[in-house]
């Protein structure tokens, strides 16, 4: 158990510790975590990597006892019920695809209210300057103001936390204290009569150590679907008996097309060689056998660390996607044999409860396993099934009967890296011959963000390049694919309208000359940003653009624009 997970557990239970052989350090950590209990709201901060939602950071200093402050002008004197502090959650563990929270939260601090902007006289709301305040990690905390009155609210940090850095030679989730210190917060709310009266109000900071470029981040608008990770929206769930499944107006063939020379057959034969020669069957299945204990002591190196271990099982998923799609057009015996061997290996490692993923079930939140990896293996098994493998669909059905009942579902969207990518796994299974309404109900209850969908339907550009809950990424297109699947499954037009709005936004504002889609991970891509000096296109984005455009083409076959986008993506980009 890491210190971080230990503190989170202790914070959640808010109770005494009963651990056999607990060390004094562990007991101290639990005691410190329990000191947080009076301030807990029960909400955990969702990550904020998009630039619109970035955190406030004071200037870094070398002395932890440096004092720095930020101050909100409420515009008029008000009776204040509470102050709410939102921890920063926008940086990642060095070398690991996972955010950490609580960075720069003040170690010792006080909050005051005053009618004097210079705070010559003030009333203390909370004074936590005598002892070190526990690291809140991702917890959103609240401080009772008991009706304190004032026009101005000031938070003064008297002791700062160190900036965290990775440790060479240590695991990637180990962070150490650096020699720099900051005050870092994502947002501050001033609660009065049940609402945040600080929203949009002017923020100032001390002249010496404050950072005026970021002060307004502290009173930004709340994110439209909430600031917290936890998602369980029963009110969005609809009755499957009222669904009216939508049929495509045109059909794309899944077989029966013969390639006889030309660029497509040449390309596909190159792909067959790639699929057969890049990895052996045992290499594709290694992570599955690692989970069962049949393979031990494997030491990943280089790209294996991320692509084969962090994303355990995704190689098999990618292979099955490529192989399954290919043998429907060119039935290569060696490729079909390899496909069947991989499916057989996954079946051999299947657990009695239906679990089939290569990573252990209790590591689903590690890296992008909950979304990317789960979706890729799901895609792969679906394509294997459509290519004729009889085992793939029953295995998927068994897995999703397990997945759809798990207690971790309320954290899947925002508690997992790029969690929205996981939606497409559920919706594609739902629309498959093995599908059940439960596969779509999970999306409505635990993933659906109606405010975001409404913004897309209104064609608001910020909804694309400033998606509020994760870093801008071409994989956001897979979220849109999933929502269009929800339209196909339920007939609810608000899904269709939102995705059509997003499709138009991408086409008008994030497509380069020639057709490449320009939302690139970790890059800043405002609308119409035809940069010459940074990355613009990514083949993943063009692939997903094809899939999304094809769904619209099959729904609206008389509209040439969808076919045009597919052709541009294939001929100009791929």
């Amino acid at each position: 158990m890491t210190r971080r997970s230990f503190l989170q557990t202790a914070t959640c239970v808010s109770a005494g510790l009963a651990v056999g052989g607990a060390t004094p350090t562990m007991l101290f950590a639990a005691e410190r975590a329990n000191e947080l209990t009076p301030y807990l709201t029960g909400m955990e901060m969702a990550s904020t990597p998009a630039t619109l939602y970035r955190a406030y950071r004071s200037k870094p200093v070398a002395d932890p006892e440096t004092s720095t402050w930020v101050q909100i002008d409420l515009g008029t004197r008000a009776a204040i019920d509470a102050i709410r502090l939102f921890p920063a959650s926008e940086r990642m563990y060095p070398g690991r695809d996972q955010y950490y929270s609580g960075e720069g939260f003040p170690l010792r601090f006080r909050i005051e209210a005053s009618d004097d902007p210079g705070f010559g006289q003030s009333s203390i709301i909370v004074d936590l300057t005598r002892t070190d305040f526990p690291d809140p990690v991702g917890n959103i905390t609240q401080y009772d103001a008991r009706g304190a009155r004032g026009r101005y609210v000031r938070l003064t940090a008297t002791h700062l936390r160190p900036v965290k850095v990775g440790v060479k030679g240590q695991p990637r989730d180990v962070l150490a204290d650096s020699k720099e210190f900051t005050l870092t917060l994502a947002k501050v709310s001033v609660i009065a009569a049940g609402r945040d009266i600080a929203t949009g109000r002017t923020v100032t900071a001390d002249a010496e150590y404050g950072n005026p470029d970021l002060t307004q981040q502290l009173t930004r608008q709340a994110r439209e679907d909430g600031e917290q990770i936890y998602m369980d929206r029963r009110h969005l769930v609809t009755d499957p008996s009222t669904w009216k499944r939508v049929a495509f107006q045109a059909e794309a063939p899944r077989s029966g097309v013969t390639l006889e020379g030309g660029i497509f057959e040449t390309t596909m034969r190159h792909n067959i060689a790639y699929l057969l020669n890049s990895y052996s069957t045992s290499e594709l299945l290694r992570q599955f056998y690692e989970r069962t204990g049949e393979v031990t002591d494997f030491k990943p190196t280089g790209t294996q660390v991320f692509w084969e271990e962090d994303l355990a099982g995704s190689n098999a998923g990618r292979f099955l996607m490529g192989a399954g799609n290919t043998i429907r057009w060119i039935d290569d015996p060696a490729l079909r044999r390899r496909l069947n061997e991989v499916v057989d290996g996954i079946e051999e490692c299947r657990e009695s409860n239906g679990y089939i993923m290569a990573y252990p079930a209790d590591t689903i939140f590690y890296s992008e396993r909950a979304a990317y990896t789960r979706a890729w293996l799901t895609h792969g098994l679906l394509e294997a099934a459509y290519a004729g493998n009889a085992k793939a669909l029953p295995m998927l059905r068994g897995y999703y009967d397990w997945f759809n009942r798990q207690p971790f579902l309320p954290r899947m969207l925002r508690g997992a890296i790029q969690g929205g990518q996981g939606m497409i796994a559920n919706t594609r299974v739902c629309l498959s011959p093995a599908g059940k309404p439960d596969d779509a109900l999970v999306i409505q209850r635990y993933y659906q963000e109606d405010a975001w969908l409404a913004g897309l339907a209104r064609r608001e550009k910020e909804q694309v390049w400033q998606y509020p809950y994760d870093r801008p990424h071409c994989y956001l297109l897979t979220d849109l694919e999933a929502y269009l699947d929800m339209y196909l499954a339920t007939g609810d037009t608000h899904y269709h309208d939102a995705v059509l709005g997003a499709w138009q936004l991408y086409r008008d504002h994030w497509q380069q000359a020639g057709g490449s889609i320009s939302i690139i991970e970790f890059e800043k891509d405002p609308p119409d940003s035809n940069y010459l000096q940074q990355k613009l296109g990514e083949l993943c984005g063009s692939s997903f653009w094809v899939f999304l455009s094809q769904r619209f083409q099959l729904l609206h076959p008389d509209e040439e624009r969808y076919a045009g986008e597919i052709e541009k993506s294939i001929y100009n980009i791929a």
Side-chain angles (χ1 to χ4, degrees):
M1 178 175 282
T2 66
R3 176 178 177 275
R4 182 171 185 268
S5 62
F6 180 83
L7 281 171
Q8 285 178 317
T9 303
T11 298
C12 289
V13 298
S14 300
L17 181 68
V19 179
T23 67
T25 301
M26 292 172 65
L27 291 167
F28 176 74
E31 180 182 345
R32 300 296 291 134
N34 282 334
E35 291 175 19
L36 197 61
T37 301
Y39 309 106
L40 294 177
T41 62
M43 295 184 290
E44 186 179 352
M45 187 69 171
S47 61
T48 58
T51 56
L52 191 64
Y53 304 101
R54 65 195 184 282
Y56 169 82
R57 284 185 174 81
S58 66
K59 296 170 185 173
V61 296
D63 182 1
E65 295 188 21
T66 299
S67 181
T68 184
W69 53 261
V70 291
Q71 178 173 309
I72 301 169
D73 181 355
L74 300 175
T76 187
R77 192 169 193 261
I80 302 166
D81 297 326
I83 306 295
R84 191 170 289 174
L85 301 182
F86 298 77
S89 182
E90 64 175 302
R91 291 192 171 177
M92 307 185 84
Y93 291 98
R96 173 175 164 184
D97 198 2
Q98 195 160 356
Y99 296 100
Y100 68 91
S101 302
E103 170 203 358
F105 195 91
L107 188 65
R108 299 187 184 188
F109 63 98
R110 66 178 177 269
I111 304 173
E112 304 164 85
S114 178
D115 291 322
D116 173 13
F119 275 73
Q121 289 186 326
S122 66
S123 57
I124 299 293
I125 291 174
V126 63
D127 188 344
L128 297 166
T129 59
R130 295 176 181 82
T131 59
D132 293 351
F133 193 74
D135 184 349
V137 193
N139 287 293
I140 299 169
T141 53
Q142 184 165 299
Y143 308 84
D144 188 359
R146 298 175 298 279
R149 292 179 175 272
R151 172 174 170 171
Y152 303 94
V153 172
R154 178 183 286 190
L155 182 149
T156 303
T158 59
H159 288 65
L160 304 176
R161 287 186 200 272
V163 173
K164 299 291 186 180
V165 293
V167 182
K168 188 175 182 179
Q170 293 294 317
R172 288 173 290 160
D173 60 349
V174 173
L175 296 174
D177 294 346
S178 75
K179 295 180 180 179
E180 286 190 346
F181 301 81
T182 63
L183 166 62
T184 303
L185 287 169
K187 181 174 164 61
V188 177
S189 288
V190 178
I191 309 299
R195 66 185 186 92
D196 181 5
I197 60 173
T199 300
R201 293 296 181 181
T202 300
V203 183
T204 54
D206 64 282
E208 189 169 3
Y209 303 112
N211 186 347
D213 292 339
L214 292 173
T215 50
Q216 286 310 125
Q217 296 303 113
L218 292 169
T219 56
R220 63 166 173 79
Q221 285 279 347
R223 286 176 285 181
E224 53 202 358
D225 278 302
E227 295 291 331
Q228 71 282 357
I229 284 176
Y230 194 87
M231 290 273 289
D232 187 355
R233 301 186 171 181
R234 297 171 184 265
H235 64 283
L236 297 180
V237 173
T238 57
D239 183 351
S241 68
T242 67
W243 295 355
K244 295 180 180 178
R245 191 155 178 167
V246 176
F248 284 134
Q249 298 303 300
E251 292 185 13
R254 292 190 180 276
S255 61
V257 176
T258 302
L259 299 175
E260 298 178 356
I263 187 173
F264 288 112
E265 183 176 356
T266 299
T267 300
M268 291 187 75
R269 293 208 179 273
H270 287 165
N271 287 342
I272 290 171
Y274 168 78
L275 288 164
L276 289 173
N277 297 324
S278 296
Y279 295 92
S280 67
T281 302
S282 60
E283 288 171 328
L284 291 170
L285 291 171
R286 186 185 68 247
Q287 297 90 25
F288 295 89
Y289 288 116
E290 284 178 336
R291 173 172 59 75
T292 65
E294 190 169 328
V295 171
T296 58
D297 300 324
F298 176 78
K299 303 297 183 185
T301 59
T303 59
Q304 290 175 327
V305 174
F306 180 70
W307 290 103
E308 298 180 37
E309 299 302 307
D310 284 11
L311 304 182
S314 64
N315 261 9
R318 286 190 293 273
F319 169 80
L320 291 175
M321 278 190 278
N325 273 300
T326 299
I327 61 179
R328 292 193 281 112
W329 316 109
I330 300 176
D331 195 357
D332 184 89
L335 191 60
R336 183 177 288 277
R337 183 166 56 252
R338 175 75 60 82
L339 179 147
N340 289 332
E341 288 170 352
V342 171
V343 175
D344 287 346
I346 296 171
E347 182 190 44
E348 183 179 340
C349 297
R350 180 176 55 180
E351 297 180 6
S352 59
N353 61 3
Y355 187 82
I356 58 174
M357 294 294 151
Y359 52 82
D362 61 358
T363 68
I364 191 168
F365 287 98
Y366 184 85
S367 190
E368 296 180 33
R369 291 177 175 179
Y372 177 94
T373 308
R374 178 171 66 88
W376 258 220
L377 188 63
T378 300
H379 286 316
L381 287 170
L382 284 170
E383 299 310 329
Y386 296 141
N389 185 283
K391 296 180 178 180
L393 277 183
M395 277 201 292
L396 277 175
R397 185 66 268 153
Y399 172 78
Y400 280 94
D401 284 344
W402 173 87
F403 178 84
N404 292 342
R405 300 191 304 269
Q406 292 309 301
F408 54 55
L409 287 171
R411 298 178 58 83
M412 280 283 93
L413 177 65
R414 298 177 185 167
I417 293 295
Q418 296 289 335
Q421 293 179 36
M423 291 196 295
I424 190 67
N426 272 72
T427 62
R428 282 205 68 201
V429 169
C430 182
L431 296 177
S432 78
K436 292 181 178 179
D438 282 353
D439 303 320
L441 292 173
V442 162
I443 301 303
Q444 289 183 329
R445 182 171 174 180
Y446 301 112
Y447 286 85
Q448 188 164 309
E449 296 174 299
D450 267 8
W452 184 59
L453 292 176
L456 290 172
R458 292 190 297 267
R459 290 165 170 71
E460 295 170 356
K461 298 173 187 177
E462 290 75 19
Q463 306 294 349
V464 173
W465 77 290
Q466 295 284 354
Y467 173 66
Y469 301 98
D470 222 320
R471 58 186 183 260
H473 197 304
C474 71
Y475 281 78
L476 198 62
L477 287 164
T478 68
D479 298 28
L480 301 174
E481 287 182 70
Y483 280 122
L484 200 51
D485 286 348
M486 290 296 291
Y487 167 64
L488 296 172
T490 67
D492 189 333
T493 56
H494 96 287
Y495 297 119
H496 178 279
D497 295 345
V499 181
L500 181 59
W503 186 90
Q504 194 69 54
L505 285 169
Y506 272 89
R507 186 172 186 248
D508 292 349
H509 301 291
W510 284 280
Q511 185 172 152
Q512 306 304 313
S516 64
I517 300 301
S518 64
I519 296 289
I520 302 295
E521 194 169 12
F522 301 116
E523 300 285 345
K524 184 178 179 180
D525 292 293
D528 310 303
S529 52
N530 297 287
Y531 293 123
L532 297 180
Q533 76 277 10
Q534 79 173 43
K535 299 173 186 176
L536 290 176
E538 184 177 353
L539 185 58
C540 292
S542 291
S543 299
F544 305 145
W545 186 240
V546 167
F547 298 145
L548 182 61
S549 296
Q550 188 189 39
R551 280 171 168 79
F552 276 120
Q553 183 196 24
L554 298 178
L555 281 168
H556 310 291
D558 293 332
E559 296 189 37
E560 183 276 338
R561 56 181 178 163
Y562 302 119
E565 294 303 319
I566 294 170
E567 290 180 357
K568 279 193 293 188
S569 298
I570 292 174
Y571 285 109
N572 296 1
I573 309 304

